[in-house]
Every structure is written in C-alpha cells, then in structure tokens.
Amino acid sequence: MKATKVFEAKDHRWWILYDQEESRVIDSNVYVMESKGQSLLLDPGGFEIFPQVFAALVEAVRPGSIQAAFVSHQDPDIASSLPLWHACNAQMQWHIPALWEGFIRHYGALEAPLQKIPDAGGNILIGGRRLEFIPAHYLHSSANFHVYDPEAKVLFTGDVGAALLPPGHGAWVDRHDPDGKSFAAHIEKARYFHQRWMPSNRAKNDWIERVSKLEIDYLCPQHGAIYSGPQVKRFLDWFAALPVGSALTSEEA
C-alpha cells in the first residue's frame, strides 16, 4: 500500500493509505487525520491487510500518535483488524455506531474501549481540531456515519462514492478534467456498487440534502479514488439521479 497526502496546512494533515497488494479481498482505503501530533484512523481495515496498512502508516505518521479510530459501520473490511490495533495500543479509543457494539466485539478484543456514537451523530476532538460524525444510515448499513473536517473541508464517506478499481489505481479521480470525461469513465466503476449495495432512495436523498450544505473540497470514499474540486459536485449530482436498491426491483427479485 502507498501513503499519499490528501490535505496539509501547517500541523494539520489528512492521508490516504491505498492500493492494497492482496487481491483476494476487496480493495480498501484507510485514512489518517493528523493534528498537532495526534492522529485518528478512519476505517482501519480488515485483518488480512493489517501488515500492509501498518507499513504504509509508518511512512505517514508515528504509530504512537494514534489516539483513536473511527469505524463507520460493522463490515469486516472496515474493522476486523481491531484486535491487532488493540494489541498495539490497548488505550486507543474506538468510535463506533452504538447499534453495532455487540457485533463489532465479535472481531475480538472484548476489552477494547468502544465509544458509542448515537444515531444523531456527534463529534470528536483530535489535536484540538473538531471532527463531526455525520449520519449516513442505510448507506449501506443501518447504522452508519461519515466524518467531516470543516477546517480541511474533507468529508470521509465510507462506502458512498466507492468504486471497484483494478490494482495500481491512483488516489484521485482526475482533478484536471474540465469536460468531465475522466469522471464519466471512473463513475462507471461505481455504478453497480451504488445501485446494488445502497438499499434506500429515501436515505440517499436525505444524505445528499445534508451534505450539500457542507463545504467539501475532498470527498473521500473507503474504496476507489478521491473526488475533489468540481468532481465533488459531479458525484453528488450523479448519485442524486441514480436509483438504488436494484435487487428489490430486478426481475430476479
């Protein structure tokens, strides 16, 4: 895996750890927010890719700087590495959707300090900077959150925006794309994921209304490439027009 900066301003940074080498499990991104020597891991990944994630992480931040981890929902590609991180630092705080506490503990580390996020969301301070937990329920999990950094204008969106890309993909959807051609090519790799994994058009529309009020320079999904600049609005407009829950309307169903 590789470590690349998403955002930097003085003592405030976001990193993406991406392009995993294990092809037998779904490719996942891990993000790190660093502020004043303290760090937050976002969706720290599955058990199988922990060595790759850790090796990339040490290229970006000191492992000892990690104060906490955020878990957007219960899937194994999100957090089945929890017992390995807990073995490294038993004091690390895990911020998880309250609904999934009893499920996430099935990954191990029964004594890990899990901080439950209520359905309405909340916030966290890392290195003096406030990050917001934005509700994204049913996209695709029934209890699900995204993370917004109002200073960096970064929105971590978990599975929203995800694209299933081949090995060796870049970290970004082309940021110099005035006519939208590279976006159009990229988004075809996201279409099926969103139509099949996202079950609710009502939930989708609620989320779009909520995040459209935010200033977003970087929309960062857990799979695939980052949308930035004009690509953020292109993605939101595309998602707004996309009918989801395809298994409920297909001929097979």
Side-chain angles (χ1 to χ4, degrees):
M1 293 184 80
K2 308 163 188 172
T4 295
K5 285 178 187 171
V6 177
F7 165 88
E8 182 174 29
K10 296 182 180 179
D11 55 4
H12 185 193
R13 285 172 287 274
W14 277 79
W15 297 81
I16 179 175
L17 315 179
Y18 72 104
D19 196 16
Q20 72 185 37
E21 297 162 13
E22 176 52 75
S23 62
R24 291 171 293 178
V25 296
I26 191 168
D27 186 80
S28 298
N29 302 325
V30 175
Y31 292 86
V32 186
M33 196 288 292
E34 179 188 8
S35 174
K36 299 179 181 177
Q38 296 185 0
S39 302
L40 171 74
L41 276 176
L42 295 95
D43 282 2
F47 186 94
E48 295 296 338
I49 66 168
F50 173 81
Q52 295 179 48
V53 171
F54 195 86
L57 175 81
V58 299
E59 298 296 319
V61 301
R62 292 183 302 102
S65 73
I66 300 171
Q67 303 293 305
F70 165 77
V71 173
S72 61
H73 59 289
Q74 82 291 356
D75 280 355
D77 62 312
I78 303 296
S80 62
S81 61
L82 187 157
L84 299 176
W85 291 105
H86 180 70
C88 293
N89 180 3
Q91 305 306 312
M92 198 164 102
Q93 303 294 301
W94 292 80
H95 296 265
I96 67 163
L99 186 69
W100 292 121
E101 178 187 11
F103 293 81
I104 288 172
R105 289 204 184 275
H106 272 287
Y107 290 132
L110 290 174
E111 303 306 317
L114 302 186
Q115 309 300 321
K116 294 179 284 186
I117 306 171
D119 278 350
N123 56 71
I124 183 176
L125 281 174
I126 297 291
R129 286 187 164 88
R130 179 180 58 85
L131 306 180
E132 301 174 16
F133 298 136
I134 306 292
H137 305 311
Y138 301 104
L139 295 176
H140 63 100
S141 174
S142 52
N144 190 37
F145 294 94
H146 297 161
V147 175
Y148 179 59
D149 182 336
E151 187 174 337
K153 299 180 183 178
V154 170
L155 179 65
F156 169 72
T157 55
D159 284 326
V160 175
L164 303 179
L165 303 180
H169 65 80
W172 305 86
V173 180
D174 186 2
R175 289 176 281 182
H176 306 290
D177 181 26
D179 57 9
K181 287 183 180 178
S182 66
F183 175 84
H186 171 85
I187 208 65
E188 286 308 308
K189 298 179 177 65
R191 183 179 300 277
Y192 178 75
F193 187 95
H194 287 78
Q195 288 184 313
R196 183 62 180 85
W197 266 269
M198 306 294 168
S200 169
N201 287 292
R202 178 180 173 185
K204 178 196 73 171
N205 293 335
D206 176 80
W207 178 84
I208 289 171
E209 181 179 2
R210 187 189 304 270
V211 303
S212 293
K213 299 173 184 176
L214 305 174
E215 292 187 74
I216 305 168
D217 286 346
Y218 309 95
L219 191 150
C220 301
Q222 195 234 345
H223 307 287
I226 295 168
Y227 306 83
S228 63
Q231 308 293 26
V232 173
K233 186 177 187 304
R234 283 187 178 127
F235 171 75
L236 294 177
D237 290 345
W238 174 86
F239 193 30
L242 184 75
V244 300
S246 62
L248 300 177
T249 57
S250 68
E251 291 181 4
E252 291 80 6

mmCIF file of all heavy atoms in Angstrom, residues 190-216:
data_model
loop_
_atom_site.group_PDB
_atom_site.id
_atom_site.type_symbol
_atom_site.label_atom_id
_atom_site.label_comp_id
_atom_site.label_asym_id
_atom_site.label_seq_id
_atom_site.Cartn_x
_atom_site.Cartn_y
_atom_site.Cartn_z
ATOM 1 N N ALA A 190 -18.300 2.728 -10.423
ATOM 2 C CA ALA A 190 -19.009 2.933 -9.157
ATOM 3 C C ALA A 190 -20.493 2.609 -9.270
ATOM 4 O O ALA A 190 -21.171 2.451 -8.251
ATOM 5 C CB ALA A 190 -18.838 4.384 -8.701
ATOM 6 N N ARG A 191 -21.007 2.521 -10.499
ATOM 7 C CA ARG A 191 -22.457 2.428 -10.701
ATOM 8 C C ARG A 191 -23.070 1.201 -10.019
ATOM 9 O O ARG A 191 -24.000 1.305 -9.212
ATOM 10 C CB ARG A 191 -22.779 2.429 -12.194
ATOM 11 C CG ARG A 191 -24.274 2.415 -12.499
ATOM 12 C CD ARG A 191 -24.528 2.443 -14.000
ATOM 13 N NE ARG A 191 -23.968 3.631 -14.615
ATOM 14 C CZ ARG A 191 -24.580 4.813 -14.651
ATOM 15 N NH1 ARG A 191 -25.773 4.957 -14.090
ATOM 16 N NH2 ARG A 191 -23.990 5.841 -15.234
ATOM 17 N N TYR A 192 -22.567 0.010 -10.350
ATOM 18 C CA TYR A 192 -23.164 -1.204 -9.793
ATOM 19 C C TYR A 192 -23.039 -1.235 -8.276
ATOM 20 O O TYR A 192 -23.983 -1.630 -7.568
ATOM 21 C CB TYR A 192 -22.510 -2.457 -10.393
ATOM 22 C CG TYR A 192 -23.060 -3.731 -9.807
ATOM 23 C CD1 TYR A 192 -24.319 -4.194 -10.169
ATOM 24 C CD2 TYR A 192 -22.330 -4.467 -8.875
ATOM 25 C CE1 TYR A 192 -24.843 -5.352 -9.618
ATOM 26 C CE2 TYR A 192 -22.839 -5.626 -8.322
ATOM 27 C CZ TYR A 192 -24.098 -6.068 -8.690
ATOM 28 O OH TYR A 192 -24.608 -7.210 -8.124
ATOM 29 N N PHE A 193 -21.891 -0.796 -7.773
ATOM 30 C CA PHE A 193 -21.701 -0.790 -6.317
ATOM 31 C C PHE A 193 -22.808 0.003 -5.633
ATOM 32 O O PHE A 193 -23.397 -0.442 -4.652
ATOM 33 C CB PHE A 193 -20.334 -0.190 -5.985
ATOM 34 C CG PHE A 193 -19.966 -0.291 -4.534
ATOM 35 C CD1 PHE A 193 -19.186 -1.332 -4.068
ATOM 36 C CD2 PHE A 193 -20.404 0.660 -3.617
ATOM 37 C CE1 PHE A 193 -18.848 -1.434 -2.725
ATOM 38 C CE2 PHE A 193 -20.073 0.570 -2.276
ATOM 39 C CZ PHE A 193 -19.287 -0.484 -1.828
ATOM 40 N N HIS A 194 -23.099 1.179 -6.151
ATOM 41 C CA HIS A 194 -24.116 2.024 -5.519
ATOM 42 C C HIS A 194 -25.527 1.491 -5.745
ATOM 43 O O HIS A 194 -26.351 1.500 -4.822
ATOM 44 C CB HIS A 194 -23.995 3.464 -6.038
ATOM 45 C CG HIS A 194 -22.800 4.175 -5.502
ATOM 46 N ND1 HIS A 194 -21.532 3.959 -5.996
ATOM 47 C CD2 HIS A 194 -22.666 5.081 -4.503
ATOM 48 C CE1 HIS A 194 -20.667 4.701 -5.321
ATOM 49 N NE2 HIS A 194 -21.330 5.394 -4.424
ATOM 50 N N GLN A 195 -25.812 1.006 -6.921
ATOM 51 C CA GLN A 195 -27.167 0.514 -7.182
ATOM 52 C C GLN A 195 -27.477 -0.734 -6.372
ATOM 53 O O GLN A 195 -28.612 -0.912 -5.919
ATOM 54 C CB GLN A 195 -27.331 0.221 -8.676
ATOM 55 C CG GLN A 195 -27.414 1.481 -9.523
ATOM 56 C CD GLN A 195 -27.677 1.172 -10.978
ATOM 57 O OE1 GLN A 195 -27.042 0.294 -11.570
ATOM 58 N NE2 GLN A 195 -28.593 1.912 -11.579
ATOM 59 N N ARG A 196 -26.474 -1.586 -6.170
ATOM 60 C CA ARG A 196 -26.733 -2.871 -5.501
ATOM 61 C C ARG A 196 -26.534 -2.808 -3.992
ATOM 62 O O ARG A 196 -27.288 -3.418 -3.236
ATOM 63 C CB ARG A 196 -25.822 -3.951 -6.111
ATOM 64 C CG ARG A 196 -26.071 -5.343 -5.543
ATOM 65 C CD ARG A 196 -27.497 -5.799 -5.834
ATOM 66 N NE ARG A 196 -27.749 -7.129 -5.309
ATOM 67 C CZ ARG A 196 -28.129 -7.387 -4.049
ATOM 68 N NH1 ARG A 196 -28.274 -6.399 -3.191
ATOM 69 N NH2 ARG A 196 -28.336 -8.626 -3.657
ATOM 70 N N TRP A 197 -25.521 -2.079 -3.529
ATOM 71 C CA TRP A 197 -25.227 -2.057 -2.101
ATOM 72 C C TRP A 197 -26.049 -1.013 -1.341
ATOM 73 O O TRP A 197 -26.229 -1.137 -0.138
ATOM 74 C CB TRP A 197 -23.738 -1.818 -1.853
ATOM 75 C CG TRP A 197 -22.954 -3.074 -1.684
ATOM 76 C CD1 TRP A 197 -22.694 -3.728 -0.522
ATOM 77 C CD2 TRP A 197 -22.322 -3.840 -2.717
ATOM 78 N NE1 TRP A 197 -21.936 -4.856 -0.757
ATOM 79 C CE2 TRP A 197 -21.699 -4.952 -2.103
ATOM 80 C CE3 TRP A 197 -22.223 -3.700 -4.090
ATOM 81 C CZ2 TRP A 197 -20.992 -5.905 -2.817
ATOM 82 C CZ3 TRP A 197 -21.516 -4.643 -4.810
ATOM 83 C CH2 TRP A 197 -20.912 -5.732 -4.170
ATOM 84 N N MET A 198 -26.513 0.025 -2.009
ATOM 85 C CA MET A 198 -27.311 1.048 -1.341
ATOM 86 C C MET A 198 -28.786 0.685 -1.467
ATOM 87 O O MET A 198 -29.296 0.586 -2.590
ATOM 88 C CB MET A 198 -27.051 2.426 -1.948
ATOM 89 C CG MET A 198 -25.585 2.834 -1.981
ATOM 90 S SD MET A 198 -24.900 3.071 -0.332
ATOM 91 C CE MET A 198 -23.144 3.159 -0.709
ATOM 92 N N PRO A 199 -29.509 0.474 -0.351
ATOM 93 C CA PRO A 199 -30.863 -0.052 -0.460
ATOM 94 C C PRO A 199 -31.978 0.981 -0.524
ATOM 95 O O PRO A 199 -33.107 0.633 -0.870
ATOM 96 C CB PRO A 199 -31.002 -0.864 0.843
ATOM 97 C CG PRO A 199 -30.170 -0.106 1.827
ATOM 98 C CD PRO A 199 -29.008 0.439 1.040
ATOM 99 N N SER A 200 -31.706 2.244 -0.204
ATOM 100 C CA SER A 200 -32.813 3.172 0.055
ATOM 101 C C SER A 200 -32.626 4.509 -0.659
ATOM 102 O O SER A 200 -31.672 5.246 -0.372
ATOM 103 C CB SER A 200 -32.939 3.421 1.566
ATOM 104 O OG SER A 200 -33.814 4.487 1.844
ATOM 105 N N ASN A 201 -33.547 4.819 -1.580
ATOM 106 C CA ASN A 201 -33.518 6.129 -2.221
ATOM 107 C C ASN A 201 -33.854 7.232 -1.234
ATOM 108 O O ASN A 201 -33.314 8.338 -1.322
ATOM 109 C CB ASN A 201 -34.486 6.151 -3.401
ATOM 110 C CG ASN A 201 -33.969 5.351 -4.576
ATOM 111 O OD1 ASN A 201 -32.985 5.722 -5.206
ATOM 112 N ND2 ASN A 201 -34.610 4.225 -4.847
ATOM 113 N N ARG A 202 -34.718 6.954 -0.273
ATOM 114 C CA ARG A 202 -35.044 7.962 0.742
ATOM 115 C C ARG A 202 -33.806 8.299 1.568
ATOM 116 O O ARG A 202 -33.521 9.471 1.827
ATOM 117 C CB ARG A 202 -36.163 7.448 1.645
ATOM 118 C CG ARG A 202 -36.541 8.413 2.751
ATOM 119 C CD ARG A 202 -37.652 7.847 3.606
ATOM 120 N NE ARG A 202 -37.898 8.695 4.767
ATOM 121 C CZ ARG A 202 -38.754 8.395 5.752
ATOM 122 N NH1 ARG A 202 -39.460 7.279 5.692
ATOM 123 N NH2 ARG A 202 -38.886 9.199 6.776
ATOM 124 N N ALA A 203 -33.048 7.284 1.983
ATOM 125 C CA ALA A 203 -31.824 7.525 2.757
ATOM 126 C C ALA A 203 -30.807 8.285 1.912
ATOM 127 O O ALA A 203 -30.131 9.194 2.402
ATOM 128 C CB ALA A 203 -31.246 6.201 3.239
ATOM 129 N N LYS A 204 -30.687 7.909 0.644
ATOM 130 C CA LYS A 204 -29.756 8.596 -0.264
ATOM 131 C C LYS A 204 -30.101 10.078 -0.362
ATOM 132 O O LYS A 204 -29.219 10.947 -0.252
ATOM 133 C CB LYS A 204 -29.842 7.943 -1.645
ATOM 134 C CG LYS A 204 -28.958 8.582 -2.699
ATOM 135 C CD LYS A 204 -29.372 8.169 -4.104
ATOM 136 C CE LYS A 204 -30.686 8.853 -4.504
ATOM 137 N NZ LYS A 204 -31.000 8.646 -5.940
ATOM 138 N N ASN A 205 -31.371 10.382 -0.575
ATOM 139 C CA ASN A 205 -31.780 11.780 -0.737
ATOM 140 C C ASN A 205 -31.593 12.580 0.549
ATOM 141 O O ASN A 205 -31.217 13.759 0.503
ATOM 142 C CB ASN A 205 -33.232 11.844 -1.200
ATOM 143 C CG ASN A 205 -33.411 11.279 -2.599
ATOM 144 O OD1 ASN A 205 -32.475 11.270 -3.395
ATOM 145 N ND2 ASN A 205 -34.608 10.798 -2.900
ATOM 146 N N ASP A 206 -31.827 11.939 1.695
ATOM 147 C CA ASP A 206 -31.614 12.612 2.983
ATOM 148 C C ASP A 206 -30.145 12.962 3.154
ATOM 149 O O ASP A 206 -29.803 14.066 3.588
ATOM 150 C CB ASP A 206 -32.088 11.705 4.131
ATOM 151 C CG ASP A 206 -31.800 12.308 5.488
ATOM 152 O OD1 ASP A 206 -32.564 13.178 5.932
ATOM 153 O OD2 ASP A 206 -30.794 11.911 6.118
ATOM 154 N N TRP A 207 -29.265 12.026 2.790
ATOM 155 C CA TRP A 207 -27.822 12.265 2.918
ATOM 156 C C TRP A 207 -27.376 13.379 1.986
ATOM 157 O O TRP A 207 -26.605 14.252 2.386
ATOM 158 C CB TRP A 207 -27.063 10.969 2.622
ATOM 159 C CG TRP A 207 -25.584 11.118 2.685
ATOM 160 C CD1 TRP A 207 -24.789 11.063 3.795
ATOM 161 C CD2 TRP A 207 -24.699 11.358 1.576
ATOM 162 N NE1 TRP A 207 -23.468 11.245 3.446
ATOM 163 C CE2 TRP A 207 -23.384 11.430 2.106
ATOM 164 C CE3 TRP A 207 -24.892 11.503 0.204
ATOM 165 C CZ2 TRP A 207 -22.277 11.643 1.292
ATOM 166 C CZ3 TRP A 207 -23.781 11.720 -0.608
ATOM 167 C CH2 TRP A 207 -22.487 11.795 -0.064
ATOM 168 N N ILE A 208 -27.848 13.360 0.745
ATOM 169 C CA ILE A 208 -27.444 14.389 -0.214
ATOM 170 C C ILE A 208 -27.890 15.765 0.268
ATOM 171 O O ILE A 208 -27.126 16.741 0.199
ATOM 172 C CB ILE A 208 -28.007 14.076 -1.610
ATOM 173 C CG1 ILE A 208 -27.277 12.866 -2.203
ATOM 174 C CG2 ILE A 208 -27.855 15.292 -2.543
ATOM 175 C CD1 ILE A 208 -27.873 12.334 -3.468
ATOM 176 N N GLU A 209 -29.101 15.862 0.786
ATOM 177 C CA GLU A 209 -29.571 17.142 1.317
ATOM 178 C C GLU A 209 -28.695 17.606 2.474
ATOM 179 O O GLU A 209 -28.357 18.790 2.582
ATOM 180 C CB GLU A 209 -31.019 17.019 1.781
ATOM 181 C CG GLU A 209 -31.600 18.315 2.320
ATOM 182 C CD GLU A 209 -33.046 18.179 2.765
ATOM 183 O OE1 GLU A 209 -33.608 17.066 2.700
ATOM 184 O OE2 GLU A 209 -33.617 19.200 3.197
ATOM 185 N N ARG A 210 -28.288 16.684 3.314
ATOM 186 C CA ARG A 210 -27.470 17.017 4.485
ATOM 187 C C ARG A 210 -26.077 17.492 4.071
ATOM 188 O O ARG A 210 -25.605 18.538 4.511
ATOM 189 C CB ARG A 210 -27.362 15.779 5.388
ATOM 190 C CG ARG A 210 -26.686 16.013 6.726
ATOM 191 C CD ARG A 210 -26.451 14.677 7.421
ATOM 192 N NE ARG A 210 -27.677 13.918 7.593
ATOM 193 C CZ ARG A 210 -28.471 14.003 8.667
ATOM 194 N NH1 ARG A 210 -28.157 14.833 9.645
ATOM 195 N NH2 ARG A 210 -29.557 13.259 8.754
ATOM 196 N N VAL A 211 -25.407 16.730 3.213
ATOM 197 C CA VAL A 211 -24.014 17.066 2.903
ATOM 198 C C VAL A 211 -23.898 18.206 1.893
ATOM 199 O O VAL A 211 -22.838 18.844 1.801
ATOM 200 C CB VAL A 211 -23.221 15.824 2.424
ATOM 201 C CG1 VAL A 211 -23.267 14.721 3.475
ATOM 202 C CG2 VAL A 211 -23.698 15.325 1.075
ATOM 203 N N SER A 212 -24.955 18.469 1.152
ATOM 204 C CA SER A 212 -24.911 19.581 0.203
ATOM 205 C C SER A 212 -24.780 20.924 0.909
ATOM 206 O O SER A 212 -24.410 21.927 0.278
ATOM 207 C CB SER A 212 -26.151 19.567 -0.688
ATOM 208 O OG SER A 212 -26.152 18.437 -1.541
ATOM 209 N N LYS A 213 -25.065 20.946 2.200
ATOM 210 C CA LYS A 213 -24.927 22.173 2.985
ATOM 211 C C LYS A 213 -23.495 22.378 3.482
ATOM 212 O O LYS A 213 -23.184 23.427 4.042
ATOM 213 C CB LYS A 213 -25.890 22.134 4.174
ATOM 214 C CG LYS A 213 -27.352 22.044 3.771
ATOM 215 C CD LYS A 213 -28.254 21.826 4.980
ATOM 216 C CE LYS A 213 -29.699 21.645 4.557
ATOM 217 N NZ LYS A 213 -30.585 21.323 5.714
ATOM 218 N N LEU A 214 -22.633 21.371 3.290
ATOM 219 C CA LEU A 214 -21.255 21.441 3.758
ATOM 220 C C LEU A 214 -20.339 21.972 2.664
ATOM 221 O O LEU A 214 -20.595 21.772 1.469
ATOM 222 C CB LEU A 214 -20.765 20.054 4.188
ATOM 223 C CG LEU A 214 -21.606 19.311 5.226
ATOM 224 C CD1 LEU A 214 -21.050 17.894 5.429
ATOM 225 C CD2 LEU A 214 -21.678 20.057 6.535
ATOM 226 N N GLU A 215 -19.250 22.609 3.073
ATOM 227 C CA GLU A 215 -18.192 22.968 2.131
ATOM 228 C C GLU A 215 -17.253 21.772 2.011
ATOM 229 O O GLU A 215 -16.608 21.390 2.989
ATOM 230 C CB GLU A 215 -17.426 24.188 2.627
ATOM 231 C CG GLU A 215 -18.208 25.484 2.625
ATOM 232 C CD GLU A 215 -17.315 26.666 2.979
ATOM 233 O OE1 GLU A 215 -16.500 27.076 2.140
ATOM 234 O OE2 GLU A 215 -17.428 27.150 4.117
ATOM 235 N N ILE A 216 -17.187 21.187 0.828
ATOM 236 C CA ILE A 216 -16.406 19.967 0.627
ATOM 237 C C ILE A 216 -15.416 20.178 -0.513
ATOM 238 O O ILE A 216 -15.816 20.406 -1.653
ATOM 239 C CB ILE A 216 -17.317 18.765 0.293
ATOM 240 C CG1 ILE A 216 -18.391 18.581 1.371
ATOM 241 C CG2 ILE A 216 -16.485 17.491 0.136
ATOM 242 C CD1 ILE A 216 -19.484 17.603 0.964
#
